[in-house]
Amino acid sequence: MIAAQGIPLVAFLAVAAVLFCIGLFAALRRANAIMVLMGIELMLNAVNINLVAFSRYSAPADAARGQAFALFVLAVAAAEAAVGLALVIIVSRRRNTIEVDKIDTLRG
Amino acid sequence: MNFGAVWPEIVVSGVGTLLVALDPFVSAARQRWFGYVCLAGLLLAGLLTLGEPVGGGSVLGGMVTLDGFSMLFRLIFLAAAALVVLLSLDFILQRGKDLGEFLSLLCFATTGAMVMAISRDVVSLYVGLELLSISSYVLAAFLRDESGSHEAGLKYLLNGALASAILLFGLSLTYGLTGQTSIPALTHGLASALHTGYAPVVWLAVGMVLAALAFKIAAAPFHLWAPDAYEGAPTPVTGYLMVVAETAGFVALLRIVDTGMGPLAAHWGPWLAGLAIFTMTVGNVTALWQRNIKRMLAYSSIAQVGYVLVGLAVATPGGVSAAIFYLVAYLFTTLGAFAVIAALSVRDPGDAITDYAGLGRRSPALAVVLTVCLASYVGIPATAGFMGKLALIGAAVHGGMAWLAVGIAVNSAISIGYYWTVARTMWVDPAPADGGAVAVSPAGATSVALTLVGVVFLGILPQAFFWLSHWAGAGILR
């Protein structure tokens, strides 16, 4: 209870919401594949802040669930980033670009 | 801990691990054996699933439930995976690719889908979803030297990861509102949170979960990634994504929205109804302009998603069981069509509809099967699709949303336009001068025959499957 003393839950949630919106904006702008991946990572970090903050302020019986969920999210995000970066490397080698809008052989 | 409940998942992921471990030690000439090992593993997992007691209780600390729904969907995923293994053997070997690696990814993806089917907790459901999705991204990019394939993989990944992040934010809010991650506990928690002054947060959470899952099942207007991913992915993978990844998306919708958010059905029902009608119309109308058969079937699959959503939108037990029946019909119809397309593209990579000219004379058997599958998509009587649409229309009328039934009928009429183009090209247009009969391997022929039997059987004797889907959907709506 020491760390959270005086800081209301809504402050954590506000940080998470702002982080989520920044990430969403970066992902939807679709400028560059790395930027999209980084935007998605920001969104996942926002999720983790939410989960950990909620678990800090929840009943003791419910607290562990949020922390466990956050750990799963971290692990899966790492796997997703690894596959994502591998695909970006393949695309950049074959096409010399990672601009999402220029990767457009498939359309119709 | 009692791991007995998840033996089928352990077997399938074990086969995946075995294949990737043996891969470096098996010469290219013997790679075909990986296919038989994989099929044996999937069969064993199916038998283990059938041997499990169906209790509806929960095991593994409440993460897993063994109800009728988890049983039926495990078997659906195993059957779809086995059919995809059969139709991919020659496709992958002919291209000189590593079959062991391909099949192990397929096993891991299938494990993920099965974990989703048995999940009773949003955490295990999310982990299953990501195991399925991440394996699918790699599968879509498997022919990485072809420009379409790696582009499909990247686009699928960027959109799929975005949808996962939105889904997680919604789920983090439901955890904050209720302190729970178990789906039955969410059912009660969310309904009471609605009346304690947190209504806007409940709506935000429901909206984010709905939008993210609409992304995953490729419902319009969240479908823009799907045609690119489906066209560019290797043909067997396209069939797998259309059937397993979309069905798994519906599993998540049924568990999280129909069960977890069931008491709010009066609020999300109309949204799903709008999504259903918009999705089927966009899918069917856009499919009319396509010249590539995979891209056409991609839009057609978007339309099918719209039909299935009708069963969820009416939020009645009849609607849920009609949706489950339609998913089974869709499995056989889609994999039948893709078995034919994969057989034709083993040697010839062209996927243009004009490549099918004169197929009726070159390979009558393949042309008949593809025609039956297209008829099933339209909903011609004596095919699986007809029975599925009948069930959905019945559910819509009984559920007080007769306008959705009209939507299905009108859309089926529109869809005749593009399915007819393919049928006419096969049966009426002359074959090219150099076009001989298409050689089909035993594995490919088996997959074609099995799907044909499925489509016709469901169309003529659907009672057993109607009963099964009713049984499986019984506990879903809360």
Side-chain angles (χ1 to χ4, degrees):
Chain A
M1 275 297 157
I2 300 153
Q5 209 115 64
I7 305 175
L9 175 60
V10 71
F12 292 101
L13 299 185
V15 172
V18 169
L19 207 55
F20 187 84
C21 291
I22 295 172
L24 189 63
F25 177 75
L28 292 180
R29 240 185 92 231
R30 306 179 62 82
N32 170 316
I34 301 277
M35 289 294 279
V36 177
L37 284 176
M38 283 172 63
I40 291 165
E41 292 300 313
L42 281 186
M43 293 164 77
L44 293 175
N45 286 341
V47 170
N48 280 341
I49 293 179
N50 258 2
L51 287 172
V52 173
F54 281 134
S55 93
R56 191 77 177 80
Y57 285 84
S58 64
D62 298 335
R65 287 195 195 92
Q67 293 162 17
F69 200 170
L71 284 175
F72 276 111
V73 173
L74 278 178
V76 171
E80 210 162 48
V83 171
L85 290 175
L87 279 173
V88 170
I89 289 173
I90 290 174
V91 170
S92 74
R93 276 194 194 147
R94 303 282 192 290
R95 304 201 181 193
N96 292 320
T97 180
I98 49 169
E99 301 289 310
V100 176
D101 291 335
K102 290 190 183 135
I103 304 170
D104 60 353
T105 35
L106 301 167
R107 53 172 58 240
Chain B
M1 283 273 197
N2 171 22
F3 285 102
V6 290
W7 268 114
E9 286 74 17
I10 294 174
V11 167
V12 177
S13 59
V15 169
T17 316
L18 183 74
L19 292 178
V20 86
L22 289 180
D23 195 45
F25 307 108
V26 175
S27 66
R30 291 173 189 246
Q31 289 247 326
R32 185 172 286 273
W33 280 98
F34 284 146
Y36 305 136
V37 171
C38 189
L39 283 173
L42 293 170
L43 186 67
L44 176 62
L47 292 175
L48 286 171
T49 305
L50 287 173
E52 278 183 345
V54 180
S58 62
V59 284
L60 290 177
M63 285 280 172
V64 161
T65 178
L66 296 181
D67 52 7
F69 184 84
S70 38
M71 290 295 155
L72 181 63
F73 274 94
R74 265 171 166 179
L75 292 175
I76 286 175
F77 293 137
L78 286 168
L83 288 169
V84 172
V85 170
L86 281 174
L87 64 88
S88 59
L89 287 184
D90 295 282
F91 186 93
I92 298 297
L93 288 174
Q94 187 70 26
R95 282 161 178 70
K97 290 289 174 189
D98 208 337
L99 190 64
E101 199 182 312
F102 180 84
L103 293 177
S104 72
L105 284 166
L106 205 66
C107 285
F108 292 136
T110 308
T111 310
M114 289 165 72
V115 168
M116 292 175 74
I118 60 174
S119 287
R120 189 178 158 276
D121 192 289
V122 290
V123 178
S124 53
L125 200 136
Y126 164 71
V127 174
L129 175 68
E130 287 300 302
L131 181 54
L132 168 65
S133 301
I134 294 176
S135 311
S136 303
Y137 306 147
V138 184
L139 280 173
F142 198 75
L143 301 176
R144 54 183 176 271
D145 297 322
E146 291 179 13
S147 69
S149 186
H150 65 235
E151 179 176 339
L154 185 67
K155 284 186 171 169
Y156 192 26
L157 180 131
L158 294 179
N159 286 291
L162 179 65
S164 296
I166 295 173
L167 175 71
L168 279 175
F169 201 85
L171 293 179
S172 78
L173 292 179
T174 61
Y175 168 68
L177 286 164
T178 63
Q180 302 289 337
T181 54
S182 122
I183 291 168
L186 286 182
T187 312
H188 306 291
L190 285 178
S192 52
L194 200 56
H195 304 294
T196 50
Y198 290 114
V201 188
V202 175
W203 297 136
L204 185 63
V206 172
M208 289 179 110
V209 169
L210 275 184
L213 292 176
F215 241 116
K216 290 279 180 194
I217 59 173
F222 306 103
H223 69 291
L224 294 169
W225 59 272
D228 288 350
Y230 292 166
E231 183 188 342
T235 303
V237 176
T238 307
Y240 187 82
L241 297 182
M242 277 189 190
V243 172
V244 175
E246 274 181 17
T247 305
F250 275 106
V251 165
L253 260 180
L254 285 164
R255 286 275 200 214
I256 301 182
V257 178
D258 273 42
T259 307
M261 300 170 175
L264 317 176
H267 302 282
W268 52 253
W271 282 99
L272 278 187
L275 202 62
I277 205 93
F278 188 60
T279 303
M280 63 176 93
T281 312
V282 167
N284 280 321
V285 172
T286 324
L288 290 171
W289 318 112
Q290 303 306 320
R291 293 171 195 286
N292 177 302
I293 192 150
K294 276 162 80 182
R295 204 170 178 88
M296 187 205 88
L297 286 178
Y299 282 108
S300 144
S301 90
I302 291 168
Q304 312 295 320
V305 164
Y307 301 146
V308 181
L309 276 174
V310 169
L312 274 66
V314 295
T316 59
V320 172
S321 71
I324 295 175
F325 183 88
Y326 199 87
L327 285 172
V328 179
Y330 171 73
L331 179 158
F332 285 114
T333 309
T334 304
L335 289 183
F338 273 88
V340 174
I341 297 172
L344 289 174
S345 54
V346 164
R347 280 177 184 77
D348 175 20
D351 290 319
I353 293 175
T354 47
D355 291 343
Y356 290 71
L359 190 68
R361 259 149 293 168
R362 288 162 59 202
S363 292
L366 289 181
V368 165
V369 175
L370 189 52
T371 310
V372 169
C373 290
L374 296 179
S376 175
Y377 273 136
V378 176
I380 306 284
T383 60
F386 172 72
M387 288 298 167
K389 278 187 181 164
L390 209 59
L392 286 172
I393 287 175
V397 172
H398 285 297
M401 290 190 178
W403 57 280
L404 281 176
V406 176
I408 295 181
V410 170
N411 268 282
S412 301
I414 298 175
S415 73
I416 294 174
Y418 56 92
Y419 295 128
W420 170 246
T421 310
V422 179
R424 197 192 53 213
T425 310
M426 284 193 296
W427 293 105
V428 180
D429 289 1
D434 58 341
V438 181
V440 184
S441 71
T446 312
S447 65
V448 171
L450 286 176
T451 48
L452 180 69
V453 168
V455 170
V456 175
F457 182 80
L458 281 184
I460 295 173
L461 295 167
Q463 286 84 357
F465 271 89
F466 273 132
W467 183 85
L468 263 182
S469 49
H470 184 74
W471 171 73
I476 283 300
L477 204 65
R478 295 294 162 87

